[in-house]
Amino acid sequence: MHLLADASMPLVAQLAETFSDALREQGIPFTLSTFHGRQPTPEQLASADLLMIRSITRVDAELLRHAPRLKWVGTATIGTEHVDADACRYAGVAFVSTPGVNANAVGDYVASAISNIALEQGALPAGDVAIIGAGHTGRAAGQRLRGLGLNVHFYDPPLLQAGMHPTEADVHADWQRVLASKVISCHVPLTKNGEYPTYHLFSDKSIATLTDDCILINASRGAVVAEQALRSAKQRNQRLHVVLDVWENEPQIAADLLPWLRYATAHIAGHSVAGKVGGTLRLFAELAGFLKQPDLALQLPSLRRLLKPWPEAVREYRWQTDARPTWQMLASWVRDIYDIRIDDNLLRQATPEPAAFDALRRHYSARAELSQGIVVGGRWLAQREWQNRLQQLTFSHIQKQEQ
């Protein structure tokens, strides 16, 4: 049995070795090879029984034509539009994704963007926050912004239409409420069909109606926000603060928009160490189920153990205050752990070529998560309001002993 995997997936060789050792005892050979870049070659695909990818690899009928032995595809991402599920079904290939593995990292990314903008402007956004999509990443972003003290609501008509009971109370289908919000953050899959398509959800018409100084963040899929509509907003000098982690024509970025964008990054919102390692680990657990080897999943190491080689992923960030934190302190603590400005500078300093974009993703530095923060305080920490806010920001927190 031969597994072909994206070489950029952390610890894929280590986890494959766990599988190989266990299956060898059952007389089942298990081998691993890796591919570099966006697509594996036909020669690599020819011998692959299993395939592990990330969001940059397109799995379609053409790829499957070169992989006659392929039986299973797993993507270490929540997004699935890069995989043609119908083509997989037709070819008899099982397909799984890993929703939620990088939700904390994406939530941290949004919190860092808002924290930095607020600190630069000297005030939190004066208005509501609209989160588009009440799924894993949307909820993570919304909860952190509530921890900063903002009023958050969620726009998710498909969720309501499906009759599901969202965990967030304030989920609605009022698009005008979204457009009137001071902060808008996108967390949806890319869809072109159905009653609520997300392709060019933010067209020129939508963007033109946004309030002055609105903060628009896209950390979902590039084509959710039409880049031509952003160019129109730039030309009419519309007062917006646009944050793009994803691009309509990746890996080609809209270099002409860079000077106008507030922050611009190379599709790394979910790239914390825990998010990336967690994606690899989840895929191997899924693979164990596909192979009908439940004991294999039990032999996999814990995420906490796997993170030990990365000091940045296990480091503690500790702050102490006897007074209740101000929003400025909270925003600064967020920035201490993850500062979006670093990634913004890296993209602006790189050449605007697809190869440079992919290189930034491939060589991305180890990044911590907000859950590594510890707040030490006085009696105020016992107040439920502050316990809730620190939990929403995902900081760990301890009660300071009274003297």
Side-chain angles (χ1 to χ4, degrees):
M1 189 171 298
H2 179 205
L3 168 64
L4 176 63
D6 186 328
S8 69
M9 297 176 64
L11 300 184
V12 66
Q14 177 180 328
L15 293 171
E17 186 176 356
T18 299
F19 265 54
S20 180
D21 292 344
L23 291 173
R24 188 183 301 116
E25 294 177 0
Q26 303 178 40
I28 303 173
F30 185 91
T31 58
L32 167 73
S33 63
T34 59
F35 68 93
H36 296 268
R38 291 187 164 252
Q39 297 293 130
T41 66
E43 292 75 20
Q44 290 171 317
L45 289 166
S47 61
D49 301 291
L50 314 161
L51 178 63
M52 289 187 179
I53 61 172
R54 293 190 59 81
S55 61
I56 63 173
T57 300
R58 174 71 183 168
V59 176
D60 52 18
E62 177 65 16
L63 180 145
L64 295 171
R65 185 172 67 84
H66 294 291
R69 295 173 44 176
L70 195 63
K71 295 300 178 187
W72 180 89
V73 174
T75 180
T77 61
I78 184 173
T80 60
E81 64 273 4
H82 55 297
V83 177
D84 186 335
D86 291 335
C88 286
R89 279 192 294 269
Y90 183 78
V93 176
F95 168 56
V96 298
S97 61
T98 54
V101 292
N102 64 350
N104 286 334
V106 175
D108 293 353
Y109 177 94
V110 173
S112 182
I114 297 301
S115 294
N116 271 289
I117 292 173
L119 288 168
E120 291 166 5
Q121 294 185 333
L124 287 171
D128 286 353
V129 174
I131 302 293
I132 303 179
H136 294 286
T137 59
R139 288 199 304 269
Q143 103 175 27
R144 284 157 179 75
L145 298 188
R146 281 176 171 163
L148 285 173
L150 297 171
N151 182 45
V152 176
H153 57 91
F154 295 82
Y155 174 81
D156 200 326
L159 185 66
L160 297 176
Q161 191 175 60
M164 299 177 68
H165 301 284
T167 55
E168 300 290 350
D170 196 6
V171 179
H172 64 89
D174 185 350
W175 183 240
Q176 294 307 312
R177 186 179 177 189
V178 172
L179 298 180
S181 297
K182 209 65 176 178
V183 177
I184 304 171
S185 191
C186 302
H187 302 276
V188 290
L190 183 63
T191 58
K192 292 187 176 181
N193 302 311
E195 189 174 352
Y196 299 101
T198 61
Y199 177 78
H200 285 187
L201 180 64
F202 281 92
S203 61
D204 189 52
K205 179 181 178 181
S206 295
I207 290 177
T209 63
L210 298 180
T211 62
D212 284 346
D213 294 317
C214 176
I215 301 170
L216 175 62
I217 302 172
N218 188 13
S220 56
R221 290 296 179 261
V224 171
V225 177
E227 288 178 359
Q228 189 54 47
L230 295 178
R231 292 186 179 96
S232 297
K234 177 186 175 185
Q235 289 171 359
R236 62 176 171 261
N237 295 317
Q238 189 172 355
R239 288 167 49 191
L240 297 176
H241 306 284
V242 179
V243 179
L244 293 186
D245 180 56
V246 288
W247 306 79
E248 193 165 354
N249 298 298
E250 287 184 21
Q252 182 62 61
I253 66 169
D256 60 309
L257 288 174
L258 277 179
W260 183 72
L261 298 174
R262 188 60 178 260
Y263 297 121
T265 53
H267 199 157
I268 48 72
H271 275 34
S272 69
V273 178
K276 292 175 70 176
V277 174
T280 308
L281 179 61
R282 174 85 72 82
L283 280 188
F284 275 95
E286 293 282 354
L287 181 57
F290 173 75
L291 297 176
K292 296 181 171 54
Q293 299 280 342
D295 289 344
L296 264 178
L298 297 176
Q299 294 179 42
L300 292 171
S302 68
L303 178 60
R304 187 176 186 85
R305 177 180 165 191
L306 289 174
L307 292 176
K308 287 183 178 179
W310 286 275
E312 194 59 39
V314 295
R315 171 188 170 188
E316 291 183 350
Y317 293 79
R318 185 178 293 264
W319 312 284
Q320 182 167 342
T321 176
D322 292 326
R324 286 180 296 180
T326 62
W327 72 261
Q328 291 94 333
M329 293 168 68
L330 294 174
S332 296
W333 294 346
V334 169
R335 191 162 66 179
D336 285 348
I337 296 180
Y338 171 58
D339 190 344
I340 191 176
R341 297 176 301 176
I342 296 172
D343 290 323
D344 174 77
N345 286 332
L346 288 173
L347 184 63
R348 293 177 191 275
Q349 291 169 6
T351 60
E353 302 299 326
F357 183 91
D358 282 344
L360 286 175
R361 289 168 52 83
R362 186 167 57 251
H363 303 298
Y364 191 65
S365 299
R367 181 174 121 203
E369 292 192 348
L370 297 189
S371 58
Q372 295 167 231
I374 296 176
V375 180
V376 182
R379 281 178 289 184
W380 63 270
L381 257 181
Q383 297 174 14
R384 182 172 296 276
E385 172 197 352
W386 282 102
Q387 297 240 356
N388 289 341
R389 290 185 64 175
L390 293 175
Q391 287 170 358
Q392 288 169 337
L393 283 164
T394 73
F395 295 148
S396 303
H397 60 279
I398 57 176
Q399 175 73 48
K400 180 183 177 182
Q401 295 294 319
E402 296 297 328
Q403 300 299 320

